[in-house]
Amino acid sequence: MRFRLDKSSGVPAYRQVVDQVRQALRLGILQPGDQLPTVRDVVTQIAINPNTVHRAYRDLEAQGLTEGRPGRGTFVRRSLEMAPARQAELQQELTAWMHAARSAGLGDEAIAALVAEAARASEKETPT
Amino acid sequence: MNAALETVDLGRRYRTKWGLRDCTLAVPEGSITGLVGPNGAGKSTLLRLAAGLSRPSEGTVRVFGEPVNPNATAHLGRLGYFDQLRPLYDGFRVGEMLQVGRRLNAAWDGASATKWLQDLSIPLHAKVKQLSVGQQAQVALAVCMGKRPDLLLLDEPVASLDPLARRQLLQTLMGAVAEHGTTVFLSSHIVSELEPVCDYMIILAASRVVVSGSIEALRTEHRLLVGQVGLPAPAEVEVISSNRTGRQSTLLVRGRPKAIDPGWEVLEPSLEEIVLAHLTPAAAMPATGVAS
């Protein structure tokens, strides 16, 4: 996988690396058993401090998503993939909801606020 | 943490003027430390003293615990240094520059220096003067890294390069650091350039160290407060800089305010804002109506 660094986002670089790996796991770009790029590969791609990548990889390992094998590299332990059928269905429902929200006169900002609020509320209830 | 480079009350006088004064700092081993400050702050003077290229007028400078002495050579093998005047000979071919590196250094890793340049498609038979500025910087870095230094001192390594060459140089530099664990101390006056590559930062102004610390700590301990003019600053914070525009007052403070007037909006400043605030301190600004 290839990483990218958004310098203007204000999101710390290690966070961006973690998020991009999680996204790759969700999209099936990375699958269990796959090796993550070496720290050297990542820093030569996006010119960031190697310690930042080490930290991101430690975070992913702490989340149980990857494991470091001494002398060999970092490997994916489990994926975050959704069942593709269910994903399409969920997307449809969300699109329908978006249309409903727009016809109710909600703007982008109001929609984003509602989504964020719902995400926050569901985080407390749904076991991960 | 051990220091790769340590200075105590270091000073260097040029005739009547001090290029650096009372400079006490430490560059942690294994870090990539950025040195920022305005032109004339003493960045180059400091790096030259650290490299043993000039002699201190007062104070001491140590590299891995050993005092740096222009007449001693023991520490030189552990040091790599390059500045904007890259140490290359125009008429030499790239391969010949690597030969120079091999003959001048007791320990020399020619294979990786050669591979490094091949990966960048820099031909070994090309003459240095035929290369682009960016390629010349890459050759200088390859010669520097060929001796496998434990501490790399870089004075404005990317200042004269275009954005693409900057990125390429920083990419190869980070790759080399990841591989060898080299400590790097590099100067720049572009903070946004340093932020992704550095984990420590030292701010130098008027030949003195103003701030030094890990970038993460700097970011967590500073806050930006925006509110109406006349609002009192929170008691337990240090006001680094304050600004007033119309009715709006903007403070950059150090320390986490516990009880804060709800009239203040509390924001996380960018690293650049933190650096600029320290370079233009509150005392130097006009009165702001802020209780101190």
Side-chain angles (χ1 to χ4, degrees), chain B residues 14 20 38 46 59 70-71 87 89 91-92 100 128 151-152 172 249-250:
Chain B
Y14 298 110
L20 190 73
L46 171 59
N71 294 327
Y89 298 105
F92 277 36
V100 171
V128 167
L151 172 62
L152 192 56
T172 26
S249 163
T250 307

Side-chain angles (χ1 to χ4, degrees), chain B residues 158-233:
Chain B
V158 296
S160 57
L161 307 183
D162 63 57
L164 181 66
R166 270 175 200 212
R167 189 179 156 86
Q168 284 173 336
L169 191 78
L170 291 174
Q171 284 169 328
T172 26
L173 178 62
M174 289 305 107
V177 170
E179 203 166 328
H180 305 301
T182 320
T183 305
V184 183
F185 189 30
L186 79 166
S187 69
S188 175
H189 44 243
I190 309 167
V191 177
S192 57
E193 197 111 62
L194 290 179
E195 185 166 12
V197 298
C198 294
D199 40 19
Y200 273 74
M201 182 155 283
I202 292 170
I203 305 177
L204 207 61
S207 87
R208 286 179 162 86
V209 174
V210 186
V211 171
S212 136
S214 87
I215 288 180
E216 199 177 346
L218 289 178
R219 293 184 76 127
T220 45
E221 72 192 13
H222 289 87
R223 284 293 177 268
L224 198 62
L225 308 182
V226 181
Q228 266 194 30
V229 165
L231 268 180

